[in-house]
Amino acid sequence: MGDFVLCEWSWEENKLFEVALALVDEGHPDRWEVVAAMVGGKKTAEDVKKHYVILLEDVQFIESGKLDHKLGETQPNYWTDEDHKYAILSSSMTRKLSLV
């Protein structure tokens, strides 16, 4: 899975991005810099902010009802051991960043 790339974001970067969004408060003054650091340091604050805008657009499209929901029925979404590993890794990174 490490080789899968979506819009120049690897699967691992996307997972770390999702976890970082969940952990870093929307009101944090350096939110995008912190998220960028949690993604692995290869993305800039502007990169993660743009990626977030794309994510919001995708969510709006899904919620608009224009997406064929039958596609999701065959692919259930489960929290995997790998997801858990990234959540723990990101949580650990957040604690380290808050100490700086």
Side-chain angles (χ1 to χ4, degrees), residues 29-53:
D30 298 317
R31 182 180 196 205
W32 302 119
E33 289 81 4
V34 173
V35 171
M38 291 176 71
V39 168
K42 293 181 181 179
K43 304 292 183 187
T44 66
E46 188 63 28
D47 291 337
V48 296
K49 190 173 181 179
K50 286 179 183 177
H51 202 58
Y52 180 71
V53 169

Side-chain angles (χ1 to χ4, degrees), residues 30-99:
D30 298 317
R31 182 180 196 205
W32 302 119
E33 289 81 4
V34 173
V35 171
M38 291 176 71
V39 168
K42 293 181 181 179
K43 304 292 183 187
T44 66
E46 188 63 28
D47 291 337
V48 296
K49 190 173 181 179
K50 286 179 183 177
H51 202 58
Y52 180 71
V53 169
I54 292 168
L55 175 65
L56 290 180
E57 290 171 353
D58 288 347
V59 168
Q60 289 172 345
F61 178 74
I62 291 166
E63 290 178 346
S64 73
K66 296 177 184 174
L67 181 69
D68 183 1
H69 294 290
K70 292 178 184 174
L71 294 174
E73 291 176 5
T74 59
Q75 299 175 347
N77 187 11
Y78 297 106
W79 184 267
T80 66
D81 289 339
E82 194 160 355
D83 293 333
H84 185 71
K85 177 181 92 174
Y86 287 117
I88 291 170
L89 173 66
S90 294
S91 178
S92 158
M93 291 172 64
T94 300
R95 284 192 294 275
K96 288 177 185 175
L97 289 171
S98 68
L99 296 174

